[in-house]
Amino acid sequence: MHSTLAVLTWLTDPWQEALTRRALLEVVLLGVAGGALGCWLLFFNLAYSAESLAHALLPGLVGAALLGLPLLLGGAAGLLVGAVAVAVAGRIDGLDRDTAVAVVVTGLFGLGVLLALSPESPAGLQGLLFGDVLGVSDSDLLLAAGLVAVVLAALWVLHDRLLVVGFDRLSAAGLGVRPLAVDVALLVLLAVALLVAVQGLGNLLVVAVLMAPASAARLVTRRMGPMLLVSGLIAVLAGTGGLYLSYYAGTAAGASIAGMLVAVYVILALGGGLVRAVVPRDRALAQPSA
Amino acid sequence: MTDPVPAPGAAAAAPADARVLVRTAGLACGYAGTPVLTGVDLTLRAGDRVAVLGPNGGGKTTLFRTLLRELDPLAGTLDLSARCAVVPQTERSRLDFPVSATDVALMGAVSRLAWWRRPSRADRRLARAALDQVGLAEHADRTFGDLSGGQRQRVLVARALVQDAPIVLLDEPFTGLDAVSAERLEQLLLALADEGRGLLIATHDVDQARRWGTVLCLNRRQIAYGGAEVLTRSVLEATYGGEIVDIDCAVHGHHPAVLPAHHHEH
């Protein structure tokens, strides 16, 4: 009885303050959206794009901080500038796409750091780079909830079209689906998700919530629907675990969350490898017949 | 074009009074004003199984994309009286994609839905029925990538059935299939033609083409269109742009092969 109470106290202790409760809600919101969206990013090979866009929006964030504007607005402007710069750089002859993206993104990221290190810079670089999940306000949360609802609704409506294009892009038109429209929709959703998540996890760690839960869910599911659910669940649980870690170990919240997200993937991957090594798969069952 | 006495096991072309599904005259197809294929004059009727022969790059895919309305005709006329569905090569799709056979068949329903609509229970039943029709009812819940090549090809045929298109275009569906799978697919295609669908089937197998009654030979232009009797040596040479050599094969006996433009795999 005593120990049950102790466990209960241990579990509820971090949520005594409104500050941490808001952080928990933020983690749940961006876990659900990032986890689900990440599954599609994984199959559309957009991990590199996600990483690049996240870094490219730093000057926008810093600019907003300097001017005292909402971070979301600055992030959106930064994304727009980044996307246009990448599109333009991609058209330069003799520069392949990956290189063009790398040049633009590091350029923008450097510009962002330069701005952040200027004497006028208020809160400092750290919150923007690594996130400030404990610093979210009620209005931040409300906005995040709205954007997450938009992302989830869009993923619900687009589900079958995303399946068609992800499965076989070249046949999509014959099935009445325009791959370009689906790509653009997915990139817009990525931009929205980045804007939401960057507040909590920061510029450098935001990719963790998009790619780690999806990669982990991929290991344990065989269908897209369950994968989306499991990925969202992993993101929420690992995110919450990260907050506990942060509370009891006194580590930085954003980094703890990102660490937990990646840890879940590593544990599942190692566990899966171990299971396969110990229990050889029944090839007779797995082998397809003619 | 019609063969009054079909050989055993062979299908004659559809009767001349069958419904016309596709009619083209002097059709030129290609990309952005550059014709890849010219002079296509063909009439596809309900019940036709047309073998489309030609080298890679001969214009088969371009013709299919034009029939699918993905490309506009560059010249000539194209009259389509019904919708087209395409059965692509299975290796184009991602085999690691987390979808079941039913999920893939259900993709055929998307073309009939407005963009904000999701497939309904009725669509799902349709997908199951289509898988049943192609003989895959017991594999409906298996992962697409775990199925054999022949089974995957039949799943894609089921997807075309869910699209309910009277015209079905098949892109080398027999490539990579073993003899048993090829036989099953051949029976399935015959059944689809008997239902009144018109099939255009890209293939490299000349013997198979002879059995289907109608052949369309393409090599950047239409070389020939008609019954199996149009498949003369000169037509085959013009189609494949190479020399025909007679090969005595221990397994298959005496049969003509085309060299060197295309390697016929046996």
Side-chain angles (χ1 to χ4, degrees):
Chain A
M1 198 62 212
H2 224 74
S3 63
T4 318
L5 196 68
V7 168
L8 222 65
T9 312
W10 189 89
L11 282 174
T12 52
D13 213 31
W15 320 119
Q16 301 288 337
E17 291 175 67
L19 184 93
T20 48
R21 284 200 297 273
R22 278 201 298 270
L24 180 64
L25 200 54
E26 170 85 357
V27 161
V28 169
L29 282 174
L30 58 91
V32 169
L37 184 65
C39 295
W40 292 112
L41 300 178
L42 195 142
F43 283 112
F44 278 70
N45 299 323
L46 286 173
Y48 181 53
S49 302
E51 169 103 43
S52 306
L53 279 176
H55 291 182
L57 62 75
L58 185 66
L61 289 179
V62 178
L66 284 174
L67 296 170
L69 295 170
L71 283 185
L72 211 68
L73 204 68
L79 273 179
L80 208 63
V81 170
V84 170
V86 165
V88 170
R91 292 183 169 272
I92 297 171
D93 285 331
L95 198 63
D96 74 272
R97 237 195 104 69
D98 278 4
T99 315
V101 172
V103 168
V104 167
V105 165
T106 41
L108 286 172
F109 191 68
L111 177 68
V113 174
L114 211 66
L115 285 173
L117 294 179
S118 72
E120 292 83 29
S121 181
L125 190 59
Q126 205 173 334
L128 298 176
L129 285 181
F130 305 110
D132 187 13
V133 73
L134 295 170
V136 293
S137 65
D138 283 338
S139 59
D140 287 340
L141 270 180
L142 213 60
L143 199 58
L147 291 175
V148 166
V150 167
V151 169
L152 292 180
L155 286 183
W156 169 259
V157 170
L158 287 171
H159 186 83
D160 304 281
R161 273 92 189 157
L162 286 163
L163 271 184
V164 166
V165 177
F167 179 67
D168 175 8
R169 171 172 295 274
L170 293 173
S171 310
L175 292 166
V177 180
R178 284 160 54 207
L180 186 66
V182 171
D183 285 344
V184 169
L186 193 57
L187 283 173
V188 169
L189 292 179
L190 169 61
V192 172
L194 282 175
L195 286 178
V196 177
V198 85
Q199 279 197 305
L201 286 176
N203 209 268
L204 293 176
L205 300 174
V206 62
V207 178
V209 77
L210 287 171
M211 299 322 296
S215 307
R218 176 94 188 87
L219 297 171
V220 293
T221 54
R222 306 272 290 156
R223 294 290 175 270
M224 203 64 203
M227 183 174 161
L228 292 165
L229 291 177
V230 169
S231 180
L233 195 68
I234 287 175
V236 169
L237 290 179
T240 310
L243 286 178
Y244 275 111
L245 181 67
S246 163
Y247 183 85
Y248 284 109
T251 49
S256 307
I257 292 166
M260 289 296 265
L261 287 166
V262 175
V264 171
Y265 171 77
V266 171
I267 289 166
L268 285 178
L270 288 178
L274 206 66
V275 167
R276 271 193 298 281
V278 175
V279 190
R281 199 152 163 223
D282 191 350
R283 299 308 299 173
L285 273 175
Q287 204 72 185
S289 56
Chain B
M1 180 166 157
T2 46
D3 186 354
V5 192
D17 59 348
R19 181 183 168 217
V20 173
L21 299 172
V22 183
R23 197 191 296 277
T24 74
L27 178 68
C29 325
Y31 306 85
T34 317
V36 171
L37 177 67
T38 57
V40 181
D41 293 289
L42 66 85
T43 307
L44 180 74
R45 292 173 193 279
D48 273 339
R49 278 188 300 167
V50 178
V52 185
L53 291 169
N56 298 327
K60 287 180 290 189
T61 308
T62 312
L63 175 63
F64 281 9
R65 292 194 63 188
T66 307
L67 293 176
L68 283 165
R69 299 284 191 199
E70 286 177 33
L71 297 172
D72 289 326
L74 299 179
T77 58
L78 166 61
D79 294 316
L80 279 168
S81 70
R83 259 176 323 137
C84 285
V86 72
V87 177
Q89 297 183 23
T90 63
E91 56 265 37
R92 253 181 25 195
S93 42
R94 287 190 71 142
L95 295 185
D96 64 343
F97 209 57
V99 284
S100 68
T102 306
D103 292 334
V104 174
L106 195 57
M107 290 177 190
V110 174
S111 59
R112 289 184 279 110
L113 299 172
W115 67 266
W116 66 89
R117 298 287 300 275
R118 305 275 320 262
S120 62
R121 259 166 220 276
D123 290 321
R124 195 158 266 277
R125 274 197 297 277
L126 219 58
R128 293 261 173 188
L131 285 174
D132 192 25
Q133 197 180 340
V134 301
L136 289 173
E138 74 270 36
H139 297 298
D141 293 320
R142 285 183 61 191
T143 301
F144 181 79
D146 287 349
L147 298 170
S148 73
Q151 289 168 337
R152 286 202 294 270
Q153 197 69 64
R154 281 187 281 144
V155 172
L156 296 181
V157 171
R159 186 173 74 175
L161 293 178
V162 173
Q163 279 186 275
D164 198 26
I167 306 162
V168 183
L169 316 174
L170 297 106
D171 190 5
E172 299 184 17
F174 290 92
T175 302
L177 297 198
D178 61 56
V180 178
S181 304
E183 177 57 28
R184 287 201 75 149
L185 184 60
E186 176 125 20
Q187 290 302 321
L188 176 60
L189 297 186
L190 181 61
L192 295 186
D194 287 344
E195 278 180 4
R197 292 177 210 269
L199 313 182
L200 282 175
I201 312 156
T203 180
H204 286 304
D205 189 332
V206 175
D207 293 334
Q208 203 175 34
R210 285 184 212 280
R211 286 202 301 276
W212 290 341
T214 312
V215 294
L216 172 64
C217 298
L218 304 174
N219 188 358
R220 309 193 67 80
R221 63 186 174 85
Q222 180 172 314
I223 308 290
Y225 178 63
E229 69 280 353
V230 304
L231 283 178
T232 60
R233 173 175 289 244
S234 65
V235 162
L236 283 175
E237 281 180 354
T239 301
Y240 286 104
E243 295 286 308
I244 307 284
V245 294
D246 289 313
I247 292 180
D248 276 313
C249 171
V251 181
H252 299 94
H254 185 78
H255 84 137
V258 188
L259 291 174
H262 172 73
H263 175 67
H264 187 97
E265 217 172 272
H266 261 283

